[in-house]
Amino acid sequence: MDANTFIEEETKKLKEAIGEEKAIVALSGGVDSSVCAMLGYKAIGNRLECVFLDTGVMRENEGPDLKEIFAKVEIDLKIRDVRKEFFDALKGLTDPEEKRKAFRDTFFKTLRDAVKESNAKFMIQGTIKPDILETNKGVKTHHNPLEQVGLDPGKYKLTILEPVAELFKPGVREVGRALGLPEEISERMPFPGPGLMARCIGEVTPEKADILRKAHIVVEEEIKNARLKPFQAFAVLFEDRGTGIDKEGNRNFGNIIAVRVIDSKDAMEGTATDVPMPVLKKISERIVAEIPSVTRVLYEITGKPPATIEYI
Ligand code: XMP
């Protein structure tokens, strides 16, 4: 695939499909949706609305950071605070598929509100090939390929366009670079649509999301400091607890965090990265120091398969 030919062809297809109507892209901050935003903007300019839904399970400062990045390419990103809707919908849910379903339903409900306001008739979505392959295999109910999971886009009065659906991650990155996306986006680790929820076992609460956000920063920073370039690196929060001793010498039955660092080409298969022990220890020391409720940090060593990359 030649990235420039791909961009030309997909821009043309988007232009033809959308005509004189408006379209919307929900930006997650990942490379897939960012490429969609750039392609959409190239195709229809300001008739494209880019929206960031702050679901409460996104990375630290994600919305404002993205707004700044996209302002540089003249895209005015709108941030919608929908945290309450998401935490309400996820309240009491512990089953992974129920959580995913609640997330997906809330995502489309809140997106529908954004769509209504924008008058968009089309939504450009960053579905990529592994999303489709894995959904077909029944590995997981990804919220991306709408029709495959039995959601009728007609019900939402929206036509879904998926310009990168035939690409794997390396291809999307190549297109991102050719589109002039900054490196911090084009080379960014994948981040799932359902965000930190995919790394939160059990009920998802604002407090648990905060723990995951803080732990994620530590993992990302230390992996970067160690000049490692894994496919993904992140923190997972368990429901179980383990005893530790806090600074005052009191016993604390605290949270357990798992660190997941994985090498993979395209997310279909992967192996745990050989992260040097001193780096892992640094991660552990920082996490327990920066997040007092955490008493233990584990390193995950399972490959994919049999494990998936995310935890739910
Ligand atoms: P799994 O956990 O299935 O993940 O091995 C494979 C890749 O997909 C990402 N992922 C998702 N991406 N929506 C997304 O947009 C999702 O629901 C979702 N679930 C997993 C995951 O981060 C990994 O790169």
Side-chain angles (χ1 to χ4, degrees), residues 28 32 100 103 126-128 130-131 134 139-145 169 189-195 197-199 231-232 234 260 262 264 266-269 304 307-312:
S28 68
D32 309 337
R100 280 183 171 267
F103 187 94
T127 309
I128 65 170
D131 296 334
E134 299 224 311
V139 174
K140 198 174 280 176
T141 321
H142 280 274
H143 82 270
N144 274 345
K169 207 58 140 192
M189 288 176 198
F191 188 69
M197 184 192 85
R199 300 156 184 187
F231 184 72
Q232 271 175 286
F234 55 86
R260 179 93 163 127
I262 192 151
S264 171
D266 52 22
M268 301 294 286
E269 291 181 349
K304 175 181 178 176
T308 53
I309 294 177
E310 304 290 345
Y311 261 60
I312 74 149

Side-chain angles (χ1 to χ4, degrees), residues 15-310:
K15 212 184 262 180
E16 281 170 11
I18 301 166
E20 292 307 309
E21 297 290 346
K22 285 184 170 176
I24 189 163
V25 170
L27 263 172
S28 68
V31 62
D32 309 337
S33 59
S34 298
V35 162
C36 285
M38 295 292 279
L39 288 173
Y41 186 71
K42 243 178 135 57
I44 61 167
N46 286 331
R47 276 185 293 123
L48 179 77
E49 178 153 322
C50 291
V51 58
F52 174 84
L53 297 179
D54 183 357
T55 58
V57 286
M58 306 309 279
R59 285 165 290 199
E60 183 74 18
N61 220 36
E62 186 92 63
D65 284 353
L66 275 180
K67 194 170 171 67
E68 211 179 299
I69 289 170
F70 280 93
K72 288 186 192 140
V73 284
E74 282 165 32
I75 293 180
D76 177 25
L77 178 64
K78 296 200 168 122
I79 300 175
R80 286 177 84 91
D81 181 1
V82 286
R83 288 175 293 181
K84 188 176 177 330
E85 278 101 318
F86 277 88
F87 286 120
D88 283 352
L90 292 167
K91 211 179 178 97
L93 301 185
T94 54
D95 177 78
E97 288 302 300
E98 275 179 27
K99 282 157 70 177
R100 280 183 171 267
K101 186 178 180 302
F103 187 94
R104 191 176 60 224
D105 291 349
T106 312
F107 188 81
F108 281 103
K109 187 196 159 291
T110 48
L111 189 57
R112 200 162 64 234
D113 296 342
V115 171
K116 268 189 199 151
E117 280 173 35
S118 73
N119 285 321
K121 294 278 180 291
F122 294 85
M123 188 167 86
I124 309 174
Q125 189 149 299
T127 309
I128 65 170
K129 194 80 176 180
D131 296 334
I132 298 172
L133 295 177
E134 299 224 311
T135 307
N136 281 345
K137 278 196 300 187
V139 174
K140 198 174 280 176
T141 321
H142 280 274
H143 82 270
N144 274 345
L146 278 185
E147 286 162 83
Q148 288 182 327
V149 294
L151 279 177
D152 173 14
K155 207 172 97 187
Y156 295 100
K157 295 202 169 48
L158 261 190
T159 302
I160 309 289
L161 303 170
E162 299 176 321
V164 293
E166 288 302 316
L167 302 183
F168 286 89
K169 207 58 140 192
V172 185
R173 291 197 201 286
E174 204 183 317
V175 171
R177 283 190 288 270
L179 279 165
L181 272 178
E183 224 174 75
E184 55 202 299
I185 298 274
S186 69
E187 308 314 311
R188 203 169 196 189
M189 288 176 198
F191 188 69
L196 301 170
M197 184 192 85
R199 300 156 184 187
C200 183
I201 302 164
E203 186 183 9
V204 183
T205 62
E207 295 73 28
K208 285 166 94 177
D210 266 347
I211 293 174
L212 276 164
R213 240 188 302 278
K214 288 186 182 132
H216 184 82
I217 294 175
V218 174
V219 175
E220 236 185 10
E221 280 180 4
E222 293 306 325
I223 290 295
K224 197 171 161 206
N225 288 345
R227 297 184 198 286
L228 294 168
K229 287 198 163 44
F231 184 72
Q232 271 175 286
F234 55 86
V236 178
L237 178 59
F238 288 163
E239 224 181 354
D240 283 342
R241 292 192 169 234
T243 301
I245 297 163
D246 66 19
K247 285 188 194 122
E248 285 76 41
N250 299 317
R251 286 168 79 86
N252 175 11
F253 197 45
N255 293 122
I256 305 175
I257 289 274
V259 175
R260 179 93 163 127
V261 187
I262 192 151
D263 294 321
S264 171
K265 263 212 307 282
D266 52 22
M268 301 294 286
E269 291 181 349
T271 50
T273 307
D274 288 329
V275 180
M277 204 57 177
V279 178
L280 290 173
K281 283 186 175 166
K282 179 83 192 289
I283 290 174
S284 161
E285 282 159 17
R286 275 194 61 191
I287 288 179
V288 293
E290 293 172 28
I291 317 169
S293 72
V294 178
T295 48
R296 278 158 198 259
V297 179
L298 317 177
Y299 187 55
E300 147 97 61
I301 51 174
T302 327
K304 175 181 178 176
T308 53
I309 294 177
E310 304 290 345

